């Protein structure tokens, strides 16, 4: 038998990619599937960025391992504008997706990984592959399942000098909730007290539904690494472009990551990097694109939340991204009568009975018997939705009186049918 490294042996494929493959296979067999599995943007790549890629198809040379100079400067300038502080281009590291950079930072930094429960599916397996200790911190439904400063403090206090990377992801995958400025300030104070490396995963920052994302880097500039990329806000997951912006204090970490990158992926695709320069410019077309995308996601989240609440499913307020994280615990007895006692079983049941594909809370580190699931509401034609919402926004329509149901039934019929089917199922228990 082939011998495998023990850290990898028995590890399944990432839950996000596995559900995607499963949905594709079921659809190929002719099943009706409402795909709330993989968190992939439904929107097309904005035109100026697509155009820049076409113009740069001829770029064929290896680029510097840290990334194209013009892109690093554009990213630094972009975050300097957003955060009203000074980020430097030579502190930016570009990679083939921020996921790869998250792996590299854990590889080169010798310390524990600290993450809230729930957290995105890949942080902990990456730590396991590298052989790092993972500390899952508890969160509460009242806090929208977000990390609190007190919990972080309690954890760090037990061993104050220990080196740690804390990953904070807001708006959050899997909940769509975010942290307020006050919460960010409090967490920043604790992070500073213990000198933790704070990895601020802001991949959904641009998709804050009201465009009100703020970075914790404003409050803990010396210790925060910002992680971002094109995948979510720019509809370009498959382009694989992410970056880290380092503070001066952690430039050494960035250099060590570049060494590891130089021995592994070499550099990120050249045409994609040239195209990405266009994505980080101040361009009214990009602003408009984002306003529209946010409006679609906001309308959908509001409608879906009301629907799910109507059958006793509770969920955090969705402030950004494209996720819902309903909790089925009020139906625990009805589920137990169907032999369902955990989130994995619940997802299997929903797939079988409603065609809704979702991910179990367990994949995000929740205790197995919690009954939360993540639903990515992305199974719709994003280009069509952007056009339709522009008509509404251009008419200065009032969101309070807007007929979301009719709008969504037209632009996102699979999302509507999926949620309606799920609600009907729950109502029948
Ligand atoms: N972030 C996406 C999700 O949580 C998937 C991307 C990936 O796993 O690489 O569904």
């Amino acid at each position: 038998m082939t011998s495998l490294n023990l850290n990898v042996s028995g590890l399944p494929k990432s839950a996000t990619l596995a559900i995607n493959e499963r949905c594709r296979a079921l659809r190929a067999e002719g099943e009706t599937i409402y795909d709330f599995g993989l968190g992939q943007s439904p929107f097309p790549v904005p035109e100026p960025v697509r155009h820049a890629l076409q113009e740069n198809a001829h770029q064929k040379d290896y680029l510097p391992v840290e990334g194209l100079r013009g892109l690093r400067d554009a990213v630094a300038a972009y975050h300097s504008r957003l955060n009203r502080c000074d980020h430097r281009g030579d502190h930016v590291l570009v990679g083939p997706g921020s996921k790869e950079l998250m792996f590299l930072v854990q590889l080169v930094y010798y310390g524990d990984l600290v993450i809230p429960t729930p957290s995105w599916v890949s942080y902990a397996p990456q730590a396991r592959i590298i052989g790092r200790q993972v500390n899952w911190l508890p969160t509460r439904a009242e806090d929208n399942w977000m990390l609190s400063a007190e919990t972080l403090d309690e954890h760090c206090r037990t061993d104050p000098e220990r080196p740690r990377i804390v990953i904070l992801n807001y708006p959050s995958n899997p909940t769509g909730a975010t942290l307020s400025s006050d919460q960010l300030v409090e967490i920043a104070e604790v992070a500073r007290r213990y000198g933790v490396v704070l990895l601020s995963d802001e991949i959904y920052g641009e998709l804050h539904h009201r465009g009100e994302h703020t970075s914790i880097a404003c409050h803990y500039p010396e210790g925060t690494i910002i992680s971002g990329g094109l995948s979510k806000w720019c509809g370009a997951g498959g382009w694989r472009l992410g970056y880290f912006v380092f503070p001066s204090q952690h430039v050494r970490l960035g250099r060590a990551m570049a060494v590891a990158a130089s021995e592994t992926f070499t550099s990120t695709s050249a045409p994609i990097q040239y195209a990405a320069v266009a994505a980080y410019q101040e361009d009214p077309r990009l602003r408009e694109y984002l306003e529209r995308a946010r409006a679609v996601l906001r309308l959908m989240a509001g409608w879906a939340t009301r629907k799910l609440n109507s059958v006793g499913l509770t969920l955090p307020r969705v402030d950004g991204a494209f996720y819902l994280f309903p909790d089925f615990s009020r139906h625990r007895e009805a589920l137990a009568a169907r032999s369902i006692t955990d989130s994995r079983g619940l997802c299997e049941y929903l797939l079988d009975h409603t065609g809704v594909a979702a991910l179990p809370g367990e994949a995000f580190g929740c205790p197995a018997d919690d009954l939360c699931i993540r639903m990515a509401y992305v199974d719709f034609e994003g280009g069509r939705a952007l056009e339709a919402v522009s008509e509404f926004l251009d008419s200065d329509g009032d969101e309070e009186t807007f007929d979301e149901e009719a709008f969504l039934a037209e632009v996102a019929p699979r999302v509507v049918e999926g949620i309606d089917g799920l609600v009907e199922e729950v109502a029948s228990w």
Side-chain angles (χ1 to χ4, degrees):
M1 228 189 28
T2 319
S3 308
L4 290 180
N5 177 332
L6 277 184
N7 292 350
V8 183
S9 170
L11 255 192
K13 251 190 210 167
S14 153
T16 49
L17 304 182
I19 189 77
N20 197 34
E21 287 174 14
R22 191 157 173 212
C23 286
R24 278 196 194 153
L26 288 169
R27 277 182 173 162
E29 283 166 21
E31 301 274 334
T32 302
I33 297 297
Y34 303 103
D35 187 357
F36 290 81
L38 179 69
Q40 160 156 270
S41 166
F43 302 113
V45 177
E47 203 283 322
V49 185
R50 255 187 352 240
H51 179 72
L53 182 60
Q54 278 155 357
E55 295 286 295
N56 283 286
H58 66 283
Q59 303 286 359
K60 61 174 228 348
D61 290 342
Y62 292 115
L63 291 178
V65 59
E66 292 84 358
L68 179 68
R69 185 75 241 184
L71 175 58
R72 297 169 76 203
D73 287 342
V75 166
Y78 171 78
H79 281 282
S80 299
R81 285 196 299 276
L82 287 182
N83 298 338
R84 294 193 195 86
C85 59
D86 207 16
H87 296 291
R88 293 172 41 177
D90 54 352
H91 291 180
V92 173
L93 176 64
V94 177
S98 52
K99 189 174 188 173
E100 183 62 27
L101 298 178
M102 285 170 188
F103 184 72
L104 287 187
V105 75
Q106 295 197 62
L107 184 74
V108 304
Y109 182 74
Y110 189 77
D112 294 350
L113 175 68
V114 178
I115 46 178
T117 314
S119 272
W120 178 50
V121 298
S122 289
Y123 303 141
Q126 289 190 344
R128 171 171 159 188
I129 292 171
I130 294 166
R132 295 277 178 266
Q133 158 107 11
V134 183
N135 294 291
W136 289 93
L137 302 189
T139 60
R140 302 178 314 167
E142 308 82 285
D143 295 331
N144 282 331
W145 306 117
M146 298 300 276
L147 180 66
S148 75
E150 296 78 53
T151 305
L152 181 61
D153 187 54
E154 265 165 39
H155 173 77
C156 294
R157 214 184 305 147
T158 54
D159 190 354
E161 304 299 324
R162 207 176 167 86
R164 302 179 167 93
I165 295 187
V166 177
I167 305 187
L168 208 60
N169 169 223
Y170 54 101
S172 149
N173 178 2
T175 65
T178 198
L179 292 159
S180 68
S181 280
D182 288 349
Q183 288 170 308
L184 292 175
V185 168
E186 287 166 17
I187 294 173
E189 270 169 24
V190 176
R192 176 173 297 120
R193 192 172 309 142
Y194 298 99
V196 304
V197 176
L198 190 60
L199 179 55
S200 182
D201 181 354
E202 303 183 31
I203 194 82
Y204 299 100
E206 289 85 355
L207 292 184
H208 186 294
H209 291 179
R210 303 208 172 262
E212 289 166 5
H213 175 74
T214 52
S215 173
I216 196 162
C218 301
H219 310 298
Y220 182 40
E222 72 277 25
T224 302
I225 301 171
I226 300 173
S227 172
L230 291 184
S231 297
K232 309 301 179 184
W233 76 267
C234 203
W239 286 24
R240 309 311 301 130
L241 185 126
Y243 57 78
F244 276 10
V245 185
F246 293 89
S248 312
Q249 189 173 304
H250 294 314
V251 165
R252 230 180 118 225
L253 257 184
R255 282 202 207 105
M257 287 171 65
V259 170
S262 76
E263 300 291 10
T264 51
F265 64 76
T266 303
S267 58
T268 305
S269 156
I272 298 292
Q273 290 202 57
Y274 278 97
V277 176
Y280 292 101
Q281 304 304 314
E282 277 190 286
D283 182 331
R285 292 170 297 175
L286 295 176
R287 213 171 26 247
E288 193 168 282
Y289 167 90
L290 269 178
E291 274 164 17
R292 292 173 181 179
R294 287 169 183 152
V296 172
L297 297 174
R298 184 168 72 229
L299 290 164
M300 249 177 216
W303 172 82
T305 301
R306 279 194 298 282
K307 279 275 176 184
L308 297 172
N309 287 161
S310 74
V311 286
L313 306 179
T314 50
L315 62 157
R317 198 188 69 211
V318 182
D319 297 308
F322 28 64
Y323 301 116
L324 306 161
F325 198 62
D327 182 354
F328 288 65
S329 18
R330 289 198 192 158
H331 297 283
R332 189 173 286 282
E333 274 178 28
L335 286 167
R338 289 162 176 77
S339 307
I340 297 159
T341 52
D342 57 26
S343 58
R344 227 165 255 287
L346 174 57
C347 284
E348 289 300 324
Y349 180 93
L350 292 175
L351 188 57
D352 271 4
H353 289 76
T354 65
V356 166
L359 282 177
E362 194 193 347
F364 299 85
C366 295
D369 61 350
D370 268 16
L371 291 171
C372 294
I373 66 169
R374 187 196 78 172
M375 301 176 68
Y377 53 97
V378 294
D379 191 0
F380 62 96
E381 230 317 313
R384 164 93 195 79
L386 290 181
E387 272 169 32
V389 89
S390 323
E391 283 165 29
F392 164 65
L393 293 176
D394 292 347
S395 69
D396 280 332
D398 177 4
E399 256 180 58
E400 299 291 312
T401 56
F402 181 59
D403 186 353
E404 285 158 358
E405 186 130 15
F407 170 78
L408 296 178
E410 194 196 322
V411 303
R414 285 186 302 281
V415 172
V416 171
E417 277 169 38
I419 293 203
D420 278 347
L422 185 145
V423 162
E424 212 172 286
E425 171 66 30
V426 177
S428 74
W429 294 344

